[in-house]
């Protein structure tokens, strides 16, 4: 038998080293090529989008000017009832102690709604009579003492006797739940969404459901059922979207507390445009179910969440505590936070990314004022330049989001993309532009973007999320613009769509964020800034919101 000589370690070791060296060189070159290809693709997409937005503005601007110009520039009636100027926290305590009646509070808000809604067009359907009956029942039970001591009620029923408005896309039993969609038969909710159930369980009295864009797919609140919602500070300006109905009513003192939703800034932009507080909680603090449109993607709750909106910062933890899902992500909302112990950071823009428009000078100054007051440190998170790419690709890849193209009970969709786009171009579609275009956009992302590009963006998403968590920890907040301008004229969002990435990114990376009112611009329109924290640190945002309200004045009634 012939025995093969063993390979010499002296000979084999250099060969292995050479092979390993060549492998590393190849991997490094491959990663560099992929990175450069992705950067070139991103650059090309940015240029294409900027050009498209510019061309689109040629059509949007004249139409917007025409629509806004037809709206009479009227002022809202002054607020006369002093109950409308008290925070929910104060009102709840006085109701529990029987110093005021729930009926008086509910009646005051009903009368205010009847005053302002003809100007704002924010209410889809009300339940005023039923709400008054529920308020009267609360007063009777408090008089009899059957509900228990006031101290216990503060814990078990923190919203007892308070009127609450709900975004119409969230199911309220017996109320409209079409999400602005024009249907053959009106869609009525058969049961409450989990968050609405929690509101009622906390003693809140549902007053109405408020306007949204069709299927909540726009940052402007209008649809072919209810029409256009207007900004209380200037009726010729937008209230934002998709929670524009809530924002307009709350800012006009037509609602005390509002339950909104947020998947791409839908709670924060309207709050910003109308000078109130709008909070997107950490994922799964509030149940994301019971919403129309729905989605059964396993990541739905990471992007989408019901949110809280109010005029007074102290009401944010009160409302979110009532909205919390008992089985959801645990958070401590009332934990004391010494402002001086917080680590604060800020950026005045997104890098810049080369895509979004410049931030208005008044907003930049407001951010600097906030940063100076909080002694914030300026930082540069370079991965924010990928905000548009990661946000759009992540969200449009979610499976089975309900759209006008979704299969119905018979397993077939009511329409197809080609048919609906053609009908829209002819002015024959029953749907609005965002609802028509969502299908083609999903098709492009899911069929024409290379998998290597998607993998790269997924990696950037995780790295950006880690950047934020490492920066903020458990004692840090981030100050950031929410949008480049204050409330613009109606429909001008359509050539500013890419600017929404200032808000959308925090849905993508799963961070809590709130819009906080910090003043007015030279046109006397509200300025809001975003305050962001790490997941589960919502209480830090609330503490900063209270401090900014104290320093900059907070909500001011429209005049």
């Amino acid at each position: 038998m012939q025995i093969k000589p063993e390979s010499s370690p002296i000979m084999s070791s250099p060969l292995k080293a050479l092979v390993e060296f060549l492998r590393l060189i190849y991997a490094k070159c491959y990663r560099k090529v992929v990175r450069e290809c992705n950067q070139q693709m991103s650059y090309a997409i940015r240029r294409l989008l900027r050009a498209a937005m510019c061309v689109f503005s040629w059509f949007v601007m004249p139409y917007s000017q025409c629509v806004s110009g037809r709206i009479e520039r009227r002022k809202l009636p002054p607020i006369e009832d002093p109950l409308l100027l008290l925070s929910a926290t104060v009102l709840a305590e006085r109701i529990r102690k029987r110093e005021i009646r729930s009926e008086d509070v509910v009646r005051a808000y009903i009368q205010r709604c009847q005053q302002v809604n003809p100007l704002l067009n924010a209410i889809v359907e009300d339940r005023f009579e039923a709400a008054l009956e529920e308020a009267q029942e609360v007063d009777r039970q408090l008089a009899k003492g059957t509900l228990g001591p006031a101290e216990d009620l503060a814990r078990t029923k923190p919203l007892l006797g308070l009127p609450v408005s709900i975004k119409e896309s969230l199911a309220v039993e017996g109320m409209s739940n079409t999400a602005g969609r024009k249907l053959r038969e009106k869609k009525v909710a058969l049961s409450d969404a989990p968050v609405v159930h929690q509101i009622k369980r906390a003693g809140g009295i549902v007053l109405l459901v408020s306007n949204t864009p069709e299927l909540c797919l726009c940052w402007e609140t209008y649809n072919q059922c209810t029409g256009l919602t207007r900004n209380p500070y200037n009726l010729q300006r937008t209230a934002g979207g998709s929670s524009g109905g809530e924002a307009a009513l709350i800012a006009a003192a037509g609602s005390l507390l509002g339950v909104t939703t947020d998947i791409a800034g839908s709670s924060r932009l309207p709050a910003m445009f109308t000078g109130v507080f709008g909070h997107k909680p950490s994922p799964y603090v509030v149940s994301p179910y019971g919403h129309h449109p729905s989605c059964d993607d396993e990541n739905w709750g990471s992007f989408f969440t019901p949110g809280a909106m109010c005029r007074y910062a102290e009401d944010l933890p009160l409302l979110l505590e009532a909205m919390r899902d008992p089985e959801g992500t645990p958070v401590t909302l009332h934990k004391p936070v010494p402002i001086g112990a917080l680590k604060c950071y800020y950026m005045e823009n997104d890098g810049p990314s080369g895509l979004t428009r410049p931030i208005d000078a008044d907003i930049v100054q407001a951010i600097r004022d906030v940063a100076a007051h909080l002694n914030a440190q300026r930082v540069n998170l370079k991965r924010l330049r990928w905000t548009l790419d990661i946000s759009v690709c992540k969200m449009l890849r979610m499976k089975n989001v309900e759209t006008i193209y979704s299969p119905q009970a018979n397993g077939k969709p009511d329409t197809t993309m080609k048919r609906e786009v053609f009908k829209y171009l002819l002015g024959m579609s029953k749907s609005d532009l965002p609802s028509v275009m969502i299908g083609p956009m999903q098709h492009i992302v899911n069929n024409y973007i290379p998998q290597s590009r998607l993998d790269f963006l997924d990696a950037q998403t995780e790295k950006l999320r880690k950047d934020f968590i490492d920066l903020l920890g458990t004692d840090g907040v981030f100050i950031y613009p929410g949008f480049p301008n204050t409330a613009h004229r109606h429909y001008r969002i359509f050539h500013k769509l890419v600017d929404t990435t200032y808000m959308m990114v925090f849905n993508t990376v799963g961070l809590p964020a709130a819009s906080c009112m910090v003043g007015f611009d030279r046109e006397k329109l509200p300025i809001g800034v975003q305050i962001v924290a790490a997941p589960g640190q919502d209480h830090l945002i609330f503490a900063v919101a209270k401090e900014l309200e104290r320093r900059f004045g907070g909500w001011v009634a429209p005049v």
Side-chain angles (χ1 to χ4, degrees):
M1 182 177 66
Q2 186 177 4
I3 300 176
K4 295 180 180 180
E6 293 183 1
S7 58
S8 169
I10 298 176
M11 294 295 292
S12 64
S13 182
L15 182 60
K16 287 182 179 180
L18 178 61
V19 170
E20 180 64 17
F21 176 73
L22 292 174
R23 188 188 68 79
L24 291 173
I25 292 295
Y26 172 79
K28 185 174 181 180
C29 290
Y30 176 78
R31 286 195 298 268
K32 184 177 180 180
V33 168
V34 169
R35 183 169 62 250
E36 289 180 354
C37 286
N38 277 304
Q39 289 174 349
Q40 290 298 323
M41 183 181 295
S42 183
Y43 178 80
I45 290 173
R46 278 167 165 72
R47 290 301 172 190
L48 180 63
L49 282 172
R50 289 193 71 169
M53 293 295 104
C54 180
V55 171
F56 206 16
S57 71
W58 301 344
F59 302 92
V60 172
M61 293 289 280
Y63 180 75
S64 168
Q65 194 73 23
C66 181
V67 170
S68 299
R70 291 203 302 263
I71 299 172
E72 186 179 356
R73 184 92 182 259
R74 296 174 58 188
K75 293 184 179 181
L76 266 61
I79 300 170
E80 297 176 348
D81 194 323
L83 289 176
L84 299 175
L85 298 175
L86 297 177
S87 71
T89 304
V90 171
L91 286 171
E93 182 179 7
R94 292 189 181 181
I95 289 172
R96 289 192 298 267
K97 293 180 178 179
R98 297 180 58 202
E99 296 174 357
I100 57 175
R101 298 188 306 169
S102 171
E103 179 185 356
D104 293 335
V105 175
V106 171
R107 194 177 297 278
Y109 275 95
I110 290 174
Q111 291 174 350
R112 183 62 178 171
C113 282
Q114 292 168 339
Q115 280 185 322
V116 301
N117 193 60
L119 297 174
L120 302 177
N121 190 39
I123 299 174
V124 176
E125 186 177 9
D126 69 67
R127 56 186 307 275
F128 291 160
E129 291 184 8
L132 278 174
E133 291 176 1
E134 292 172 14
Q136 291 164 357
E137 180 61 24
V138 167
D139 292 331
R140 281 193 292 269
Q141 291 191 30
L142 284 170
K144 293 178 182 178
T146 55
L147 295 176
E151 295 78 12
D152 292 343
L153 289 176
R155 176 177 50 83
T156 60
K157 292 187 177 294
L159 303 185
L160 183 64
L162 297 181
V164 182
S165 53
I166 310 289
K167 188 176 180 178
E168 194 258 359
S169 55
L170 286 163
V172 178
E173 184 177 359
M175 301 290 286
S176 174
N177 188 218
T178 64
R181 189 175 180 189
K182 197 171 185 178
L183 302 171
R184 294 188 186 93
E185 294 183 5
K186 175 182 174 181
K187 185 177 186 292
V188 176
L190 301 178
S191 60
D192 290 329
V195 64
V196 175
H197 172 75
Q198 290 299 115
I199 289 291
K200 292 181 177 179
R201 185 179 178 184
I205 297 173
V206 176
L207 200 60
L208 56 89
V209 290
S210 60
N211 202 25
T212 77
E214 185 180 24
L215 295 178
C216 301
L217 289 174
C218 190
W219 292 271
E220 168 98 29
T221 298
Y222 76 101
N223 57 63
Q224 297 188 35
C225 299
T226 310
L228 179 70
T229 295
R230 297 175 279 274
N231 192 310
Y233 290 91
N234 183 336
L235 301 181
Q236 295 179 336
R237 304 291 178 126
T238 179
S242 60
S243 304
E246 283 300 311
L249 280 174
I250 291 171
S255 175
L256 176 64
L257 300 170
V259 179
T260 63
T261 64
D262 196 310
I263 191 172
S266 299
S267 180
R268 286 161 286 154
L269 185 66
M272 199 172 304
F273 281 178
T274 60
V276 297
F277 294 90
H279 180 64
K280 181 197 87 69
S282 297
Y284 295 105
V285 169
V286 182
S287 171
Y289 305 110
H291 184 264
H292 175 59
S294 61
C295 176
D296 59 12
D297 191 287
E298 61 181 4
N299 294 316
W300 174 244
S302 298
F303 294 93
F304 170 84
T305 178
M309 190 178 288
C310 53
R311 277 173 283 147
Y312 301 103
E314 68 174 344
D315 293 339
L316 284 173
L318 173 77
L319 179 55
L320 189 57
E321 187 71 55
M323 294 168 59
R324 280 180 57 181
D325 181 0
E327 306 299 323
T329 302
V331 285
T332 305
L333 300 178
H334 299 282
K335 183 178 179 181
V337 178
I339 292 295
L342 279 177
K343 298 175 182 176
C344 302
Y345 308 92
Y346 78 102
M347 286 177 64
E348 296 177 3
N349 52 44
D350 57 357
S353 65
L355 178 63
T356 54
R357 293 174 306 110
I359 305 294
D360 283 358
D362 290 340
I363 297 176
V364 171
Q365 187 58 52
I367 291 173
R368 290 174 179 173
D369 291 343
V370 170
H373 179 67
L374 297 176
N375 195 28
Q377 175 186 346
R378 189 167 185 167
V379 294
N380 183 15
L381 298 174
K382 294 183 179 180
R383 288 192 180 90
L384 282 171
R385 64 179 174 168
W386 299 108
T387 292
L388 175 73
D389 312 64
I390 66 177
S391 298
V392 170
C393 287
K394 275 279 189 182
M395 292 184 184
L396 290 178
R397 285 155 63 201
M398 282 191 291
K399 300 176 183 177
N400 300 324
V401 178
E402 187 178 0
T403 69
I404 61 173
Y405 306 110
S406 298
Q408 303 302 304
N410 60 4
K412 297 180 180 179
D414 286 339
T415 187
T416 63
M417 286 185 285
K418 290 181 180 179
R419 181 193 308 166
E420 204 61 33
V421 170
F422 183 67
K423 286 171 63 178
Y424 185 84
L425 293 174
L426 294 178
M428 299 172 60
S429 177
K430 293 181 180 179
S431 294
D432 297 318
L433 180 61
S435 292
V436 173
M437 292 308 299
I438 188 69
M441 290 170 65
Q442 288 175 322
H443 182 74
I444 290 170
V445 168
N446 287 292
N447 293 279
Y448 294 103
I449 295 184
Q451 187 60 47
S452 60
R453 169 73 172 174
L454 297 175
D455 292 341
F456 172 80
L457 294 176
D458 286 344
Q460 294 303 313
T461 302
E462 291 307 311
K463 290 177 181 178
L464 180 59
R465 175 180 167 84
K466 187 176 184 302
D467 289 344
F468 272 114
I469 292 175
D470 290 345
L471 176 70
L472 301 177
T474 59
D475 60 353
V477 296
F478 181 61
I479 305 158
Y480 198 53
F483 201 73
N485 57 258
T486 53
H488 44 245
R489 289 180 179 267
H490 296 289
Y491 300 110
R492 291 193 180 179
I493 189 64
F494 286 109
H495 69 278
K496 302 176 181 180
L497 291 174
V498 295
D499 296 327
T500 60
T501 54
Y502 276 104
M503 300 167 294
M504 197 186 305
V505 63
F506 300 113
N507 297 85
T508 306
V509 297
L511 303 184
S515 171
C516 299
M517 163 69 167
V518 293
F520 291 89
D521 68 2
R522 65 197 67 185
E523 296 186 68
K524 298 182 180 180
L525 294 167
I527 295 175
V529 300
Q530 284 191 104
I531 306 298
V532 184
Q537 307 302 318
D538 300 55
H539 63 288
L540 302 182
I541 296 175
F542 296 160
V544 172
K546 288 182 182 179
E547 176 61 20
L548 296 183
E549 181 182 51
R550 184 196 67 79
R551 170 61 181 81
F552 297 99
W555 171 79
V556 177
V559 293

